[in-house]
Amino acid sequence: MSGAALPPPPAIWQQSDGTPVSCQDKIRVLNENYAELCEVMRDTFEDAVLIGVDEDGLRRLIAEVAAALRSPRS
């Protein structure tokens, strides 16, 4: 099963002060992490839906997981 394409990573990764990340190695890591996250989320979603899990409920759960993330700086 192959769903719609997920959005590409941002053209510019912004730092907390709004300035763009300029280090190419950092941008590469961010883009790789984003691609991995998208792949895991797509696989998880597709598996769950094929098993019979409610799509809207799973979307809410994924949003809750994202909202519960805490900064490692805290």
Side-chain angles (χ1 to χ4, degrees):
M1 176 181 221
S2 180
L6 294 171
I12 297 173
W13 289 94
Q14 291 189 346
Q15 299 182 75
S16 58
D17 65 2
T19 60
V21 174
S22 59
C23 174
Q24 291 303 307
D25 286 336
K26 291 178 181 180
I27 293 169
R28 180 185 49 78
V29 168
L30 290 167
N31 288 339
E32 288 173 358
N33 287 346
Y34 180 82
E36 289 175 22
L37 174 63
C38 287
E39 182 178 345
V40 169
M41 288 179 67
R42 182 183 3 248
D43 289 349
T44 299
F45 185 81
E46 290 177 356
D47 288 348
V49 170
L50 290 173
I51 289 168
V53 171
D54 176 66
E55 290 183 31
D56 291 334
L58 184 56
R59 284 187 179 96
R60 283 191 300 276
L61 179 61
I62 291 170
E64 289 172 12
V65 169
L69 293 173
R70 299 293 172 241
S71 171
R73 294 180 184 200
S74 318

